[in-house]
Amino acid sequence: MMKKIFLTFGIAAMMFASCSTPAENDNADSLRIANLSDELQRATDYKDSLLLLMDDIYQGMDQINQQEGLLNNLSASGDNANRREEIRQNLEVIRQKLRTNRELLVQMEKKLAASNDKNGLLAKTIENLKSQIASQETHIAQLNTELQSARTQIAQLNEEVAETKEQMEIETAEKEKAQQEVVETTNQLNRVYYAIGTNKELKNKGLISKKFLGKTKVLDGEFDATYFTPVDKRNFIEVPCNNKSVKLWTNHPDGSYEIIENGNKTKTIKILDPEKFWSVSNHLIIQIG
């Protein structure tokens, strides 16, 4: 009897359950469909956002590689301040873009966690993109370091070049000064003086003077040095006297000169051996008339 009662109660319960209204079933299905649609939309939104970020991040890597190539070319071609500044600015723009993308990924990660969505693939993709951004930021930091190093190295090279140039200029100036001193010394050693005048003129200038017993002294005492004409004995080989009467008061070795008579009977002193001629005295006093 009890088995029959329980059986009847079970059948009744089953019948009651099977007799739920169609409207209730439709509401439940609509709710499930709505939930699935929301999940699909979220997944689609995540997917689209990640694809955009992924493309942007990969473009960033290409841009970094491009700037690295420019930096390498800069190091090979020499100093270029404008190009260095351009590379620095480009790297800063890329770095700012990476920072923005990293912040977006953090926001997406928080939304994904708050939604209780257990999509492991999306979470892993976000982590991979964050890792790539960190790697690119490290690469940019390295390039900035290399850029600064190149700038420092170029500055050092420029300083060394400037110092070398300055040193060369100093050495050149010293060399030229030494050469000039040698030239001046050589010229001084080869400088001789001559004077031409009548007996009276030579006496008035103090070049010759009559002494005791009628002996004539040459350059004895004070004399007018401005009366002499300075010349270079290396190329001074003739002294036109323009007079028929010529006398040398200074001592000059025989054979080192000769007195030539010109066609108009005037005389010219020709120096045959300059070194020998000026070996006794570096002054030549000629009396004419």
Side-chain angles (χ1 to χ4, degrees):
M1 182 66 181
M2 286 296 294
K3 290 182 179 180
K4 185 175 181 182
I5 292 173
F6 285 132
L7 179 61
T8 303
F9 181 78
I11 293 173
M14 292 176 61
M15 289 179 63
F16 178 78
S18 64
C19 291
S20 299
T21 63
E24 291 177 348
N25 291 334
D26 289 342
N27 289 336
D29 291 341
S30 297
L31 182 59
R32 285 195 297 271
I33 291 173
N35 290 335
L36 291 174
S37 296
D38 290 342
E39 292 178 2
L40 178 61
Q41 185 61 45
R42 285 198 303 272
T44 301
D45 291 342
Y46 281 132
K47 177 183 176 184
D48 292 342
S49 298
L50 285 175
L51 286 176
L52 290 174
L53 282 174
M54 194 180 300
D55 183 62
D56 201 11
I57 292 169
Y58 286 145
Q59 287 183 11
M61 177 58 75
D62 292 338
Q63 292 170 354
I64 293 172
N65 292 336
Q66 182 181 8
Q67 298 309 309
E68 183 176 20
L70 293 176
L71 178 58
N72 292 334
N73 291 335
L74 177 64
S75 300
S77 61
D79 186 19
N80 189 320
N82 293 334
R83 180 56 63 86
R84 286 203 312 272
E85 180 60 22
E86 178 185 350
I87 294 173
R88 189 194 66 78
Q89 292 179 358
N90 290 342
L91 289 175
E92 179 60 22
V93 170
I94 298 171
R95 191 179 68 82
Q96 292 292 346
K97 185 64 175 176
L98 289 175
R99 177 185 296 176
T100 301
N101 288 341
R102 186 177 66 246
E103 292 173 353
L104 289 175
L105 284 172
V106 170
Q107 293 176 8
M108 291 181 65
E109 191 174 34
K110 289 180 179 179
K111 290 180 180 180
L112 186 61
S115 67
N116 294 321
D117 193 341
K118 304 301 181 181
N119 194 322
L121 180 60
L122 288 177
K124 186 175 181 180
T125 302
I126 291 174
E127 283 299 320
N128 288 338
L129 291 178
K130 286 169 62 178
S131 176
Q132 287 199 28
I133 288 177
S135 176
Q136 291 181 25
E137 288 176 333
T138 301
H139 197 175
I140 288 177
Q142 292 174 347
L143 291 180
N144 277 323
T145 300
E146 293 177 10
L147 189 62
Q148 182 62 36
S149 176
R151 181 180 305 165
T152 302
Q153 184 178 10
I154 290 171
Q156 291 174 346
L157 290 175
N158 287 337
E159 184 177 354
E160 291 176 3
V161 169
E163 290 177 353
T164 302
K165 183 179 179 181
E166 182 180 0
Q167 184 62 31
M168 289 180 63
E169 290 176 351
I170 293 174
E171 292 177 356
T172 300
E174 291 177 348
K175 182 179 179 180
E176 291 177 350
K177 182 181 179 181
Q179 290 175 341
Q180 184 63 30
E181 290 176 351
V182 170
V183 171
E184 291 178 358
T185 300
T186 302
N187 290 340
Q188 183 65 34
L189 292 174
N190 286 281
R191 187 170 297 131
V192 292
Y193 308 86
Y194 78 96
I196 300 177
T198 64
N199 185 270
K200 182 179 180 179
E201 290 171 339
L202 297 178
K203 286 182 179 180
N204 289 338
K205 297 297 182 181
L207 275 60
I208 61 175
S209 58
K210 196 70 107 172
K211 297 296 181 181
F212 183 68
L213 300 176
K215 188 176 181 179
T216 301
K217 295 290 185 178
V218 179
L219 299 178
D220 186 22
E222 295 183 0
F223 62 89
D224 186 358
T226 62
Y227 193 69
F228 283 96
T229 299
V231 292
D232 191 325
K233 69 181 181 181
R234 291 170 294 184
N235 48 41
F236 184 69
I237 58 175
E238 287 189 355
V239 188
C241 299
N242 298 317
N243 199 284
K244 296 178 181 180
S245 176
V246 173
K247 179 180 180 179
L248 273 64
W249 280 106
T250 46
N251 292 323
H252 301 278
D254 294 337
S256 65
Y257 71 98
E258 63 179 356
I259 299 176
I260 301 173
E261 184 176 312
N262 301 315
N264 58 0
K265 304 299 182 179
T266 60
K267 301 294 194 303
T268 295
I269 298 174
K270 185 174 183 180
I271 300 174
L272 303 176
D273 188 343
E275 288 297 328
K276 185 178 180 181
F277 181 83
W278 299 101
S279 62
V280 178
S281 173
N282 61 350
H283 286 79
L284 169 62
I285 300 176
I286 305 170
Q287 178 183 313
I288 58 176

